[in-house]
Amino acid sequence: MNFPLFIHQIRARFSRPDPVIPRAFHQTWKTPHLSTDLQELRQTWVRLHPEWHHRFWSDPDAESFVRRHYPKLLPLYEAYPMPVQRADMFRYLILYHFGGVYADVDFEALQAMDPLLGGNSMILGREPERHTGWHGKTLLLCNAWMAASQRHPFLRFVLDCLPEASARTGALQSTGPFFLTECYEAYPRKQDITLLDPEVLYPADSDHYPLLLHREPGGPHPFGPKTFAMHYWQGSYWRPDPSELHADLMAGERSVFSGTVRADRICPLVNGQSWPEVTCLMVTKNRSEQALLSMEGFRAQTYPNAHLLIVEDFPSDKLQTAVAALGDGRIRVIRPPRENMLLGEVRQFSMEQARTEFICQWDDDDVYAPGRLSDQMSLIVALGADACLLDAVLLWWPHRQRMALSGSWWFPGSMLSRKSALSPYPALARGEDTAVVEKLMRDHRVVMLHRPESYVYVIHGRNTFDAPHFEQIWKNASRVFEGVDYARCYHELACQGLLMEPHLRLLGLETPPSPVGRLRGRKARAAIVNPDTKRALPKILPKVLVLTPMRDAAAHLTRYFELLARLRYPAEALSLGILEGDSTDGTAEQLTAHLQNAASRFSRVHWFQRHWQWLPQGPRWLPELQPARRAMLARCRNELLQQTLKDEEWVLWIDADLRDYPEDVLSRLLASGKDIVAPHCVLEPGGKTFDMNSFRFRDPKLKDSAEDMRDGVYVPPEGGARAYLAEYRGTPLLELDGVGGTMLLVRADLHRQGLVFPVAPYRGYLETEGLAMMARDWDIRCWGLPDLEILHARQ
């Protein structure tokens, strides 16, 4: 974001702010109705501020407000691809328009806000220090709670900066905390803004949000007198809302379980302490095959200090033999003191044998995510709790090809607790853990974690309870997934490292077909050598995401997929993302058929549609169409990034209408060692440059002329100040000032950090040219390979 320019342009608007913050309270939500939990949190604000004016805004209210009061901002508001971006923009608008206090609906008021407001005109809160560390920042301000006087100039500054930031990928960078922090750092009158320490509003970080602190909202809290409110970090835009999962699955536009947090982030060391030892307790009887799978689920855990104790109540040596063969000192198998003990008695015996401070129930027939122990234990440590349970799990009925998100409840099988906090297990054949957990929750401090994807309860026919019991659970489920939804859930979990396929094999069932959208892959191990440079790529090849925006590409699809199929790069390391929209030639229908045939070529495939309703009048290469056309293409590229980029290390942009390129083109681009690099796009081998967006200025002092500017964008005729790749044949590697997108390789972390395709002119350049200019401002250079030719289809 070019903040110095904005500061120069609008500094004259700044005036001394009104020091009075109105006693008005604003909250927003998608609909006029809140869930019971959120409504209880909202009531804490009402109870502590009875004399304040309270205003609740739904999404329809927000759109109506922007349309009526800020019509010039309506196009920007409507253009945001994510609801949270519109919600962010709206909260800035209502605070600017009315003044007062804004708080997210997952905020609980612990004290009246009046002492914070006196003598201040604008107040923002710092996020927890762990957040700043995760993102490599020294300051991170949150927009989940803000207070301001009416028409505060800082909020005017924020609103003025929104259009330029709109090209960024991700809500954090374009409208959220990263954006707000940049605005603050660029604002010239920081003395008008009061910053609150994290303990005032954000005493717990986002990986440790509790859904239940064993108390009613508004009751005693675990924080000190300096804490006025507590944010629960429920993140409705990145944690799935059960009511919306079905639509998301059908659209194929985001992960079903988008709330998952990486284990290396959720399990950090705190103040140098070592993590407590945990013993996972598994009791099993005549289910050795399932128990072995559950044991592998334990071995896949990311938690660094765990043991597994298996109590096998069956006269067999299979488990003993398997554990001995593994040589894993963390796992031991023992027998109960006598045969035919009740399940509750066996669980009590296993608990008595545990030698650690914490124990975790580890059933022998369920499936666990690798981060389950890390997630639960880090929450216990952060909040000083005695135990942690999941408030929802996933239910899997493989024989019926059904999966469901359970209703909200506490699940005894998910218990991780201090051993000293647990009462003895009753001598029952089933339901033995319910009474233990009920007493635990009555007498001790328990936190609930909403991460249902970390525990998959398998209904396989030999469960403790019978089928009618599970039918009743199914009726109470938040969402049931069947058909293609079931297949997507299954493969999503498999991609996250859950041992789904071995369970199916054990039950004699087939793996559901991979839906177009997400396909599991493995890390490729190979070596590719560029024959021209003799430089070997790493033995573990980097993952590459191939991205293509498409419109009216039906005539080119067959060749497009032929070229991808012969690309000399392991399928396990390739993913594919396609955005199609506004086509009138049947592209979508043909694309579906091609993708079904090409799915095995990629580790993951994700395609979706977005119709922008932009219909150019005339051929796309007309100069007068370029500003609007390239702005639209930039939107498509940014949307494609937003929806598809996951853990890949590189992004390879490829146009749909290329007719030929070398089989090793990707390895040769990677072998260049550059962060941004493009090949030479021509119509015929040895011919003139076709993609003239890849260029360098002949003289750095003589760049594009203002006479060649249309609608704020440089659209110069061929030649002039620009030199193209054809003039540099024989040069192995050439630094460029602009790059084209017919084929372009970009290090994925650059995109993640906000290097995207400008939708509005960036120093007079759009889309790929704008990206190149932005990269130069970041001190990152773009490069071209004049002798690596790719052929474009004739117009």
Side-chain angles (χ1 to χ4, degrees), residues 242 390-395 404-411 448 450 452 472-480:
L390 301 178
D391 76 335
V393 299
L394 291 174
L395 308 170
L405 181 65
S406 74
S408 182
W409 189 53
W410 45 268
F411 282 82
M448 304 297 291
H450 185 74
Q472 185 59 43
I473 292 179
W474 223 263
K475 292 178 182 178
N476 296 329
S478 300
R479 174 66 61 186
V480 174

Side-chain angles (χ1 to χ4, degrees), residues 43 210 279 473 477 510 735 790:
Q43 287 305 311
T279 297
I473 292 179
E510 294 183 356
E735 185 176 343
I790 62 174

Side-chain angles (χ1 to χ4, degrees), residues 686-716:
K688 61 183 294 188
T689 300
F690 177 79
D691 189 349
M692 295 183 181
N693 299 124
S694 291
F695 68 88
R696 66 178 294 166
F697 292 118
R698 299 179 188 278
D699 184 342
K701 298 179 181 179
L702 300 175
K703 300 184 179 180
D704 291 327
S705 170
E707 298 177 356
D708 298 322
M709 186 169 282
R710 296 175 182 269
D711 298 327
V713 180
Y714 289 113
V715 189

Side-chain angles (χ1 to χ4, degrees), residues 531-542:
D532 295 332
T533 63
K534 304 302 181 184
R535 174 179 175 177
L537 296 175
K539 290 185 178 180
I540 298 179
L541 285 173

